[in-house]
Amino acid sequence: MTDLDGVGRDERRPGRIVVGVSGSLGSLAALHRAVAEARGTGAELLAVLAWTPPGGEHGYRLAPCPPLLATWEETAAGRLREALDEAFGGAPAGVRLCAQVIRGDGGAALVHTADRPGDLLVVGAGGGSLLRRGLRPSVTAHCVRHASCPVLAVPRPSLHRELEAFHRRNVWHLPTTPAPSR
């Protein structure tokens, strides 16, 4: 686990808001909602990006390479910083923020992190195609099933849904705008 801002967690402070961040539009929406919740309650915000080595943990155990592992962790930390920059231009004002990169599967890492009484776990309510959900299990579903604290699943922004619909129509060479009425 890497703490990006160099400040360790205070284990005595209750009422954190833990938010899963991946850099996707859904996770950025969850991050914005988590910041609003933190401002409203005065709770500490813990932004978490979970990562696994390319090929998964099993693949890494078959051919371990510590220098590559350090590079992958740095890359994950950069993705988290980039997500915070995209969402707020850095750390959001008026919120105590702790940003952490955790090695592990997204759902399990978030559930393990949001383990205190009074915690709130905020995740994006992904979506995606059936194929994508079959290949990569839903972090949101895992959190809802296994978390010991309340989970707030933030729906994808409507613009994101509209862009996906536009993309589908474009891929299938369908008209992207309605036909003019005569």
Side-chain angles (χ1 to χ4, degrees), residues 25-30 33 123-127 152-158 160-161:
L25 289 177
S27 76
L28 293 179
R33 179 62 186 265
V123 291
L152 175 59
V154 179
R156 292 178 304 147
S158 60
H160 189 233
R161 290 189 296 269

Side-chain angles (χ1 to χ4, degrees), residues 131-154:
L131 177 62
R132 184 179 302 158
R133 282 183 268 161
L135 294 174
R136 182 180 292 165
S138 169
V139 171
T140 304
H142 181 89
C143 292
V144 168
R145 280 194 304 269
H146 299 286
S148 60
C149 66
V151 177
L152 175 59
V154 179

Side-chain angles (χ1 to χ4, degrees), residues 26 32 37-38 40 42 45 55 58 63-64 66 72-73 75 77 82-83 89 106 117 119-120 122 126 140 143 150 174:
H32 275 276
E37 293 287 329
L45 178 65
H58 180 69
W72 294 327
E73 186 172 8
T75 301
E82 186 177 303
D119 281 355
L120 172 67
V122 181
T140 304
C143 292
L174 299 171

Side-chain angles (χ1 to χ4, degrees), residues 23-72:
S24 69
L25 289 177
S27 76
L28 293 179
L31 183 58
H32 275 276
R33 179 62 186 265
V35 166
E37 293 287 329
R39 282 187 181 132
T41 62
E44 175 186 25
L45 178 65
L46 180 56
V48 175
L49 186 137
W51 68 279
T52 55
E57 292 294 338
H58 180 69
Y60 181 75
R61 281 192 294 269
L62 292 175
C65 181
L68 273 178
L69 195 65
T71 301
W72 294 327

